């Protein structure tokens, strides 16, 4: 048995406040989570959670990952932007061009996200969270395809994307140039194993695919910290 993508985690000084923001934007329900965090439960049972955990990681440039939200129509895009601004988001400039059509915003913690214009064909078969768009290499896209057993749905010009066999949100990597990593990522993947799965066997499998141990990160709450081939942190929870 291999691990599943259980959650996308945000480290934040304000877990409850940031969770309320994203709950309002996405329309997902709030739920208590382990580790003193707050979670959002997806509307689709096949989707992943979003977890907000206490953390003090400083903002040192753009995050290595951000959400791309889809729009059913121009009016829907305007409504999503207006709702995000009302909840405490703000417009930001990351070098986007007006003709690109998407709106770039930041949540109250400064985490970037985009509201994509209607009619985007690449995100046509996804949900409201169309993509988790990552800054990363082709190698890391191949790693995560094997780690999650999600097929590659894009592999061109060193850009890669994967998607669950059940559909939903795509995870994409933009290829070179990849900005140098500075500090601990605010956003990271949390993997979980089904009950009865062998945790050490799964750790060994992930390492054989290219993950590494950072030397620290074991937790008595039942998870361990690993790094993917681009040095991004991710956690693996022990089966319950």
């Amino acid at each position: 048995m291999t691990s599943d993508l259980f959650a996308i985690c945000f480290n934040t000084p304000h877990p409850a406040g940031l969770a309320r923001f994203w709950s309002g934007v996405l329309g997902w329900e709030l739920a208590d989570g382990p580790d003193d965090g707050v979670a959002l439960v997806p509307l689709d049972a096949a989707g992943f959670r979003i977890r907000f955990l206490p953390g003090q990681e400083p903002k040192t440039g753009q995050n290595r990952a951000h959400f791309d939200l889809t729009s059913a129509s121009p009016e829907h895009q305007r409504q999503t932007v207006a709702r995000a601004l009302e909840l405490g988001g703000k417009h930001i400039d990351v070098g986007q061009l007006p003709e690109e059509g998407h709106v770039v915003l930041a949540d109250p913690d400064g985490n970037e996200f985009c509201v994509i214009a209607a009619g985007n064909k690449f995100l046509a078969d996804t949900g409201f969270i169309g993509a988790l768009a990552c800054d990363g290499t082709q190698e890391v896209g191949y790693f995560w395809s094997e780690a999650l057993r999600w097929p590659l749905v894009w592999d061109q010009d060193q850009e890669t994307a994967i998607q669950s066999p059940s559909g939903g949100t795509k995870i994409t990597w933009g290829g070179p140039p990849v900005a140098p990593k500075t500090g601990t990522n605010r956003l990271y993947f949390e993997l979980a194993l089904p009950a009865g799965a062998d945790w050490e066997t799964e750790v060994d499998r992930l390492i054989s695919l290219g993950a590494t141990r950072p030397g620290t990160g074991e937790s008595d709450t039942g998870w361990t910290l690993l790094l993917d081939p681009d040095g991004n942190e991710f956690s693996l929870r022990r089966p319950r």
Side-chain angles (χ1 to χ4, degrees), residues 16-26 84-85 87-89 106-108 113:
L18 196 61
R20 284 193 297 269
F21 170 84
W22 281 105
S23 175
V25 170
L26 299 176
L85 296 175
L87 291 167
D107 68 20
F113 66 100

Side-chain angles (χ1 to χ4, degrees), residues 8 10 22 48 50 65-69 112-114 129 131-133:
I8 303 296
F10 284 72
W22 281 105
F48 52 80
I50 304 175
H66 68 269
F67 287 138
D68 284 342
L69 307 184
E112 304 87 359
F113 66 100
C114 295
I129 303 178
L132 179 68

Side-chain angles (χ1 to χ4, degrees), residues 47-118:
F48 52 80
R49 294 184 173 217
I50 304 175
R51 299 221 297 138
F52 303 88
L53 304 174
Q56 300 295 329
E57 284 71 18
K59 194 82 164 61
T60 56
Q62 292 182 34
N63 290 338
R64 273 197 162 187
H66 68 269
F67 287 138
D68 284 342
L69 307 184
T70 60
S71 304
S73 65
E75 178 60 24
H76 183 214
Q77 184 185 30
R78 289 191 288 270
Q79 290 173 351
T80 300
V81 171
R83 185 164 63 250
L85 296 175
E86 181 181 348
L87 291 167
K90 62 180 180 181
H91 287 279
I92 58 171
D93 183 358
V94 295
Q96 69 272 23
L97 300 174
E99 59 267 26
E100 290 177 317
H102 60 273
V103 179
V104 184
L105 302 172
D107 68 20
D109 263 13
N111 301 305
E112 304 87 359
F113 66 100
C114 295
V115 185
I116 306 298

Side-chain angles (χ1 to χ4, degrees), residues 3-17:
S3 47
D4 298 318
L5 178 59
F6 178 72
I8 303 296
C9 298
F10 284 72
N11 282 331
T12 169
H14 312 290

